Amino acid sequence: MPKPMIPALAQFLAATAGRNMTKAAYVAVTVGVLSMVLLTLNPAYETAHRWVDLLLWASLAYFVFEWLVRLRHMTRQRRLALYMSSSAGLVDAVGALAVPVALILGAEPKTAWLLCVLWVLKVVPGIPGLRQLRRVLVFESGPLISVLVIFLMVVLLASVAEYFLERDVQPQTFGSVPAALWWAVVTLTTTGYGDVVPVTPLGRIVAALVMISGLGVFGLWTGILATGFAAETRRDNFLKTWESVSKVPFFAALGPAAIADVTHMLRTMELPPRITIIRKGQQGDCMYFIAAGEVEVDLPGKKVQLGEGAFFGEMALLGNNMRGANVSTTKVSRLLVLDLVDFRVLMARHPDLAETIDAEAKRRALENK
Ligand SMILES: Nc1ncnc2c1ncn2[C@@H]1O[C@@H]2COP(=O)(O)O[C@H]2[C@H]1O
């Protein structure tokens, strides 16, 4: 018998605490935050205030319900303290309590509902690549902090210089170092509001230097983050491929160093069922190892299934470069792809593997005659 909807939903919400958001939570965040934005729009809010209020209360009710369900679930699991002190627990608590507490404390409703902007924090665990970003920030913290220190140094030097050069001509805007600091930050970050502008010749020369430094500082930041991300993605791919390679029996006899070597040459590909990977008659530029799943080779008069650990697509690389049959997936499959150049390198570096591939290709060619 299907479970009643509310208990089933409650069980699901409890189990997803601290993980990616549920679809309902995405809807509640979007509806809630958009309604909050409408609340600040006049006269639109005045005309539709019943609907906007209803949507705001409905979103809040969802988050309160979700929080209570999770509290109950964690109490039963004896993990309440852990949940309440985790970032997910804090975000859930803030999402459920911020607006009601502000209303109870007597804040004006239009002000209290602004706090529902905090619901966007719920989206954080679902952001793809967040773990990668965190790791990049940790690994690259040294260079990033160095750039930050350079930024602060230039800001301070420039603002003192501009204060000295401009204070007599523009006492209103450059009359103190903090006032000049505002100009320095706006200029160095390349924002350039243009509300405060040096007018003396020397002041302008300093400004030009600050603008050029700004480009350099931001170029450095971007460069450090971009290379950090690229390195992190490479590491992630390597780990994923390593895991698959070590599971393929074909590579099992290799030592860890050789597996690492092979892993550098392979890339992973995830495919759904019924996808054609190889078409007969096309040029062959890579071969495949099956890490998981199954493929079917469509030969004249028969179909051959190849499962986990098998390889295919080697015959074109060893022969006349032409694919001899159609090959497609029959199940969800994870394949390791070896490009032609790396295939040659692999064959040269690992003669035992080369022999196995060669022998299997010859056996298949005989079988197909
Ligand atoms: N008899 C067979 N048994 C298993 N696989 C085969 C057989 N014949 C061909 N194949 C595979 O199907 C692939 C089609 O592309 P290739 O010719 O590059 O390489 C071929 C082999 O890897």
Side-chain angles (χ1 to χ4, degrees), residues 278-279 284 286 297-299 302 304-306 311-317 322-327 360 363-365 367-368:
I278 285 180
R279 277 183 206 284
C286 62
V297 184
D298 194 359
L299 293 164
K302 65 172 173 178
V304 178
Q305 276 80 31
L306 299 174
F311 56 83
F312 60 94
E314 78 296 350
M315 290 172 78
L317 307 190
M322 283 299 178
R323 297 296 192 191
N326 279 350
V327 183
E360 182 61 13
R363 192 197 64 74
R364 288 174 179 175
E367 191 185 316
N368 295 353

Side-chain angles (χ1 to χ4, degrees), residues 249-333:
F250 182 74
F251 299 113
L254 298 174
I259 290 195
D261 185 37
V262 170
T263 303
H264 278 297
M265 300 183 201
L266 296 164
R267 64 196 149 83
T268 317
M269 197 166 133
E270 313 265 351
L271 291 175
R274 291 185 298 280
I275 294 288
T276 305
I277 310 158
I278 285 180
R279 277 183 206 284
K280 187 176 175 174
Q282 283 189 340
Q283 286 252 323
D285 55 2
C286 62
M287 71 168 288
Y288 304 84
F289 298 88
I290 307 173
E294 189 188 68
V295 302
E296 190 171 74
V297 184
D298 194 359
L299 293 164
K302 65 172 173 178
K303 290 185 191 257
V304 178
Q305 276 80 31
L306 299 174
E308 221 169 286
F311 56 83
F312 60 94
E314 78 296 350
M315 290 172 78
L317 307 190
L318 290 167
N320 63 354
N321 253 15
M322 283 299 178
R323 297 296 192 191
N326 279 350
V327 183
S328 44
T329 51
T330 55
K331 297 180 185 169
V332 175
S333 302

Side-chain angles (χ1 to χ4, degrees), residues 117-169:
V117 73
L118 295 171
W119 291 341
V120 295
L121 294 177
K122 294 236 173 206
V123 179
V124 172
I127 300 176
L130 194 71
R131 194 187 56 83
Q132 257 173 320
L133 177 63
R134 206 181 300 139
R135 285 167 64 93
V136 171
L137 291 178
V138 171
F139 286 145
E140 305 297 336
S141 56
L144 289 174
I145 289 173
S146 309
V147 177
L148 188 69
V149 171
I150 294 173
F151 175 88
L152 294 175
M153 245 168 53
V154 177
V155 161
L156 203 65
L157 287 170
S159 50
V160 172
E162 288 293 2
Y163 164 70
F164 174 71
L165 295 168
E166 298 281 328
R167 63 184 164 178
D168 296 333
V169 192

